[in-house]
Amino acid sequence: AGQGGRALVLVECDGALVDVHDMVHRSAFNSALQLGGSPKRLDVDTYGDLLRLADGTAEGMLRVFFSQVGWPSQLASADRDEYVNGLVRAKEVATRELVGRGEVAVRDGAAQFLADATGAEGVVVGLLTGTGSAPEEGVGDAALRALPEEVAARIVLPGGCDDEECAAAFDVSMEAFLEEAQMRRKRQIAAAAAPVLGPGGSSVDRGLFLSNSRRRQRLSPEKLLAFAQQAGVDVDRTILVCNNSHATKAAEAVGAASVAVRSRLTRGAQFSHASATFDGYGPGAGLTFRRLRAMMPSRFGAGSAALE
């Protein structure tokens, strides 16, 4: 059981904190294409389409890309596999070099959000890594280095476990727990007002495709429960700040709240399972810790509406 009124704000690194697909992956793909002699480049819309149409791997995305724009004219069909594999290796090198040069920056306003959250009494702030990047790419470590040292020092990193290991940590069966959590969530939805949504809308929710690589770790209900337990916080006092729909569904399944923060790639996307959706961080229409706490006073415990 959690401790009193403690709340957990769990921030997804890949997307919500760092615009990893635009800043890291798309940039690295374009570096690889240039090195491979291709005049083609991936803009934001093309990259988003590749995430939707391919299998989420670099190889799959490149194959779909060249099937659409055409393979290099001087490349024999028999050499396509070798060419793609070379581009994948070049993309991996470009990613490591980009991260190593310290070019990974947190999104505008995110550092202030984390500074306010980590400085609030009774709030645990965790960083969820690996949903949009492979662990060896080091995006999570780079994001922490990009934050002020005193802020990064107050952020906890949840330990990893697979779904079966996470489920084994609970006395009740995971199936029964999720069924009860889903029923509780349905009752909450019936009693609550409509979700707060930012401007815009889209018929295709690109957030659905942001965590489907085989090397990336989709956030499951089991993992979210385990993270809350590690933090010593009840799951109904857990708020997930994220940028993909799979994560919002995991939060809803266990009775946690979620807030989606759109990125360039997911601009206009509708996160229907999120409690609220914003286009960024900061005063005005963005997400701030003050706004988050005012929106969800029950998650933060009694008296949380009286903000500092």
Side-chain angles (χ1 to χ4, degrees), residues 132-153:
S133 62
E136 62 269 19
E137 290 171 340
V139 174
D141 290 339
L144 288 172
R145 290 194 297 270
L147 291 170
E149 185 175 346
E150 66 275 12
V151 174

Side-chain angles (χ1 to χ4, degrees), residues 48-64:
D49 290 340
L50 293 178
L51 279 176
R52 177 171 56 86
L53 296 172
D55 61 359
T57 64
E59 178 184 356
M61 293 173 69
L62 286 168
R63 289 186 180 280
V64 172

Side-chain angles (χ1 to χ4, degrees), residues 12 26 39 45 75 106 108-109 191 205 223 242 252 257 259 268 275:
E12 181 189 30
R26 188 174 70 87
D45 289 333
L75 184 68
V106 299
D108 290 345
D205 185 356
K223 289 186 176 72
C242 60
E252 183 180 61
V259 173
S275 304

Side-chain angles (χ1 to χ4, degrees), residues 17 105-107 109-116 118 141-155:
L17 181 57
V106 299
R107 296 176 56 179
Q112 186 61 55
F113 173 84
L114 289 173
D116 294 341
T118 57
D141 290 339
L144 288 172
R145 290 194 297 270
L147 291 170
E149 185 175 346
E150 66 275 12
V151 174
R154 295 195 296 263
I155 294 174

Side-chain angles (χ1 to χ4, degrees), residues 59-77:
E59 178 184 356
M61 293 173 69
L62 286 168
R63 289 186 180 280
V64 172
F65 176 64
F66 285 118
S67 71
Q68 292 181 335
V69 304
W71 293 85
S73 57
Q74 75 279 13
L75 184 68
S77 297

Side-chain angles (χ1 to χ4, degrees), residues 142-286:
L144 288 172
R145 290 194 297 270
L147 291 170
E149 185 175 346
E150 66 275 12
V151 174
R154 295 195 296 263
I155 294 174
V156 300
L157 296 175
C161 59
D162 61 30
D163 291 349
E164 185 175 343
E165 290 171 338
C166 290
F170 298 93
D171 296 332
V172 297
S173 72
M174 182 57 60
E175 182 178 356
F177 187 97
L178 293 180
E179 182 178 355
E180 170 59 28
Q182 288 167 346
M183 291 178 63
R184 183 173 65 251
R185 178 59 176 159
K186 288 178 180 178
R187 292 193 295 268
Q188 292 171 342
I189 292 173
V196 179
L197 295 175
S202 174
S203 58
V204 177
D205 185 356
R206 283 183 172 170
L208 287 170
F209 308 104
L210 294 190
S211 185
N212 60 348
S213 169
R214 288 191 293 267
R215 289 194 301 164
R216 299 165 194 162
Q217 299 296 313
R218 181 180 298 178
L219 179 65
S220 66
E222 293 86 353
K223 289 186 176 72
L224 185 55
L225 285 168
F227 295 161
Q229 186 183 60
Q230 289 172 10
V233 176
D234 292 333
V235 72
D236 60 1
R237 294 191 184 277
T238 296
I239 304 99
L240 176 67
V241 180
C242 60
N243 184 240
N244 78 79
S245 292
H246 297 297
T248 65
K249 290 179 181 178
E252 183 180 61
V254 298
S258 66
V259 173
V261 184
R262 296 186 183 108
S263 62
R264 286 188 68 191
L265 191 64
T266 57
R267 63 187 185 277
Q270 296 182 7
F271 293 87
S272 58
H273 296 270
S275 304
T277 303
F278 296 91
D279 285 325
Y281 297 91

